[in-house]
Structures are given as C-alpha cells and as structure tokens.
Amino acid sequence: MATEERDRSERGTAGQDRGGAKADGEFVRAGNAFKDRITDEEGARWPVEPGRYRLVVSLACPWASRAVLVRRLLGLEDVISLAVTDPVQDERSWRFTLDPGDVDPVLGIAFLSEAYHAADPDYDGGISVPAVVDVPSGKVVTNDYPQITLDLSTQWTSYHRDGAPDLYPEHLRDEIDEVNEQVFRDVNNGVYRAGFASTQTAYDQAFQRLFRRLDELSERLGRQRYLVGDTVTEADVRLFTTLVRFDAVYHGHFKCNRHKLTEMPVLWAYARDLYQTPGFADTVNFDHIKRHYYQVHRDINPTGIVPLGPDLSAWRTPHRREELGGRPFGDGTPPPARTRGRLEA
C-alpha cells in the first residue's frame, strides 16, 4: 500500500492513521510504519511463540476487527492474547480506559503510543490498530493489518484449533488476492475516500466507484455463497467488516447513501449469512463502532451526537444463502461458543 503525505494533526480513521488529501480533495490513506512479521521460520527475529504476543485492537475498527475475527475462527485465543481499547481515543492515542486503573493488565501501559515509542523512540507518525506487541519488550512488532491476518492463517498453523478452517487456501490465493485488492480499493477504503473527500469531485468519484464495485459483488454473490470457493476465506472476512458497519456508519456518516445495505438484497443476505456463522457476530460491537465514528470525527459530525439506529434485530433473520451450496468451514468445524462478556483474553 503506497504511503502518501499525511496530515498528522488528524486523528485515526477507525484504527488507521488518517492520512491526508491530495490537491484535488481525494483522501489518501497513510501506510503502515511497522511491518516486521512473526513467522515460523528458523532464526526468525520474531518467532511464532504462544503467549509472547498481544494483539491490540479497537472493536470499532474494521481493519482491527479482521484480526479479531481470524483469531477467533482459527482458535488462537489462548495463544495470542487480546487487548481492547476504548473506542474513543484522544490526542494521546488509543487508551486502555476499559481496564482497571486505565492500564492494560498485560502490557502495563495506559496508551498504545507507549508501545510504538518503545519500538522507536523517535516515531512521530500515527498510532493505529491493530497492532501486535511483543509482551517481554513492550515493543510494537507490526501494525501491517493486511499481513497480520494472512500470517495468522499461514504462520501459526501449529497452534490452530482442531477443525480450524483454511482461510487462505494455497490453490485459491491468487484469486483471493485479486478480490481483496479490488475490495480494498473500492469498498474497504472506498467508504473512507467518500467520507473524507474534501471536494465534490473527489466525493463523486469515490461514491461511484464504491457502488459500482458493490453492484459487481452483488452479481458475483448472486451465483455463489462465498466470494472465492465454497467456504469462508480471507476475502469474506475483509468484505464483512465493512458491510457490517455500512448502515450503522457509512451510509449516513460517510454519505455512502445510494442504498442502505438492507436495500441491496444479495449483499444484505450475504452479510446476514456471515453474521450468523459461528464466530462472526461475537466479534462485532455496534456500540463501539457508532461511538467511535460519530464522536471522534468531529469535522464530519461536530455535535458528537451518536444516532440511536439502525434497528439491529434484522441481522438474525433468515437469509436462505445455504441454497447456493457451500459450507462455511468446509471439512472443519465451527469455533466453540464463547462465553458472554468482554473479548479480552
């Protein structure tokens, strides 16, 4: 992902450094500063090691929610611990005010920025989630969100639960990568390009690309249950985390209002199918999602008022997607039910 000039005076876009705007008003997402990988290769600087790393997320963030969801589906909850930040960050970065004493109980820090500066004392860029932190040193290892989930699927296989799905099957990787690139450009990041556009032309272009891509995805998903192959893959994870936020945030807050998700029959059924698939819904927190976007983005929503809607009950209604065939976990099994309560582990 290309890194463009950033306006560091702006706070994050639901997890990622906000980036800046070109002269024509187009929003440009900033790149990721920490790109080390945790691998199972011999002699790796950051080796795969149960209990060593802590995944820091905001449940408001679609990029972070990918990692939470993949960790859940693969059964890595007892292998990589999870820290959940307050959905509303301040000028000091993401904060651990959901924890006793406002300090993360494992890392012993009050703000995620402390882990960034432990890794690089001179770092002056954005503080984003998801971030994987090395617990012994307290240093951020990576905030490279596209690679984090792929590595959870490919580097941590020795610690996947029995029956874990293959979210990045080798024979489908080229197709998954192609779909992911299109979905990122026009949908995942497309909603931000519309929401943070600073000229009418830039907004119009982002809006048109977004809904053109959604129409193409609707056509594709009208023929098959999942985006690639006949099981849930990384491609479905990446699209889901945007769709689940669409009506709650992007339709109104980001002016992506040609149609609501609930008015796009194929995508709405597809999103409900995934939401009702074990492991998906229990990583979604609509309260965190709405409070972050509406309270942090004061340039878009100056009053900070958080809307009460939409009605969420329809997420549990029948979708009939099973008629298209396919099985979410293939020959694997659903993740075990999670006890109710906070996600931290």
Side-chain angles (χ1 to χ4, degrees):
M1 214 175 309
T3 301
E4 298 287 347
E5 184 177 356
R6 293 182 286 195
D7 178 0
R8 292 188 183 119
S9 67
E10 299 284 9
R11 282 189 280 176
T13 57
Q16 293 302 306
D17 186 21
R18 177 137 168 178
K22 292 182 179 178
D24 62 2
E26 180 185 351
F27 165 74
V28 180
R29 181 169 297 281
N32 303 303
F34 295 85
K35 293 189 175 183
D36 282 356
R37 294 179 59 196
I38 300 166
T39 72
D40 61 0
E41 298 174 1
E42 185 176 354
R45 179 186 179 191
W46 303 107
V48 166
E49 185 178 320
R52 176 169 176 173
Y53 304 100
R54 189 154 176 82
L55 174 63
V56 181
V57 303
S58 163
L59 300 180
C61 170
W63 321 99
S65 292
R66 298 175 178 182
V68 178
L69 179 51
V70 169
R71 170 181 175 270
R72 175 91 173 94
L73 296 178
L74 298 180
L76 293 171
E77 291 150 307
D78 294 331
V79 178
I80 304 170
S81 68
L82 184 71
V84 176
T85 68
D86 191 306
V88 179
Q89 78 268 53
D90 64 22
E91 66 279 0
R92 295 166 294 181
S93 84
W94 295 98
R95 50 190 182 168
F96 295 102
T97 51
L98 303 181
D99 294 297
D102 297 345
V103 171
D104 180 83
V106 174
L107 299 174
I109 58 177
F111 298 93
L112 179 56
S113 57
E114 297 175 57
Y116 274 71
H117 294 138
D120 180 359
D122 297 323
Y123 180 68
D124 64 352
I127 308 299
S128 67
V129 291
V132 180
V133 180
D134 175 52
V135 174
S137 67
K139 298 178 179 180
V140 165
V141 175
T142 178
N143 69 342
D144 188 9
Y145 61 91
Q147 191 63 47
I148 287 173
T149 49
L150 297 181
D151 283 345
L152 291 179
S153 287
T154 62
Q155 302 299 308
W156 292 80
T157 54
S158 296
Y159 301 98
H160 290 180
R161 65 177 175 85
D162 291 340
D166 186 353
L167 299 176
Y168 197 48
E170 193 163 358
H171 69 289
L172 294 176
R173 288 180 186 177
D174 288 345
E175 186 177 359
I176 291 172
D177 290 345
E178 180 182 6
V179 170
N180 284 347
E181 192 279 329
Q182 296 168 349
V183 169
F184 169 79
R185 183 186 63 235
D186 298 334
V187 181
N188 300 147
N189 197 47
V191 294
Y192 289 96
R193 293 178 63 247
F196 291 123
S198 58
T199 66
Q200 188 69 48
T201 298
Y203 163 76
D204 290 352
Q205 291 174 349
F207 181 99
Q208 291 161 3
R209 286 179 64 170
L210 166 66
F211 282 100
R212 187 162 54 243
R213 182 65 63 189
L214 290 176
D215 288 343
E216 292 175 1
L217 291 170
S218 291
E219 183 178 351
R220 182 187 186 101
L221 289 166
R223 304 187 300 266
Q224 59 195 65
R225 188 172 180 184
Y226 303 109
L227 279 173
V228 181
D230 59 1
T231 63
V232 168
T233 68
E234 175 81 14
D236 300 295
V237 169
R238 296 190 183 195
L239 180 56
F240 173 78
T241 58
T242 294
L243 294 183
V244 80
R245 289 161 172 78
F246 202 90
D247 287 4
V249 176
Y250 303 141
H251 176 269
H253 186 57
F254 279 177
K255 305 179 185 69
C256 299
N257 61 355
R258 191 194 75 178
H259 291 105
K260 296 178 180 177
L261 176 64
T262 55
E263 297 167 344
M264 295 182 276
V266 172
L267 289 176
W268 175 222
Y270 165 79
R272 297 202 316 280
D273 185 8
L274 292 177
Y275 186 83
Q276 294 171 33
T277 297
F280 278 77
D282 54 16
T283 66
V284 177
N285 188 312
F286 285 107
D287 172 63
H288 281 215
I289 290 168
K290 292 199 298 181
R291 284 200 287 129
H292 171 81
Y293 282 92
Y294 288 103
Q295 291 185 336
V296 171
H297 301 159
R298 292 302 180 99
D299 50 340
I300 298 177
N301 186 41
T303 64
I305 293 173
V306 180
L308 294 177
D311 179 8
L312 303 175
S313 61
W315 279 97
R316 291 293 184 184
T317 58
H319 51 75
R320 300 183 61 181
R321 293 283 296 175
E322 63 277 0
E323 295 176 8
L324 291 170
R327 296 173 295 159
F329 303 112
D331 293 330
T333 59
R338 187 177 63 82
T339 57
R340 295 184 63 85
R342 294 178 64 193
L343 281 171
E344 295 97 315

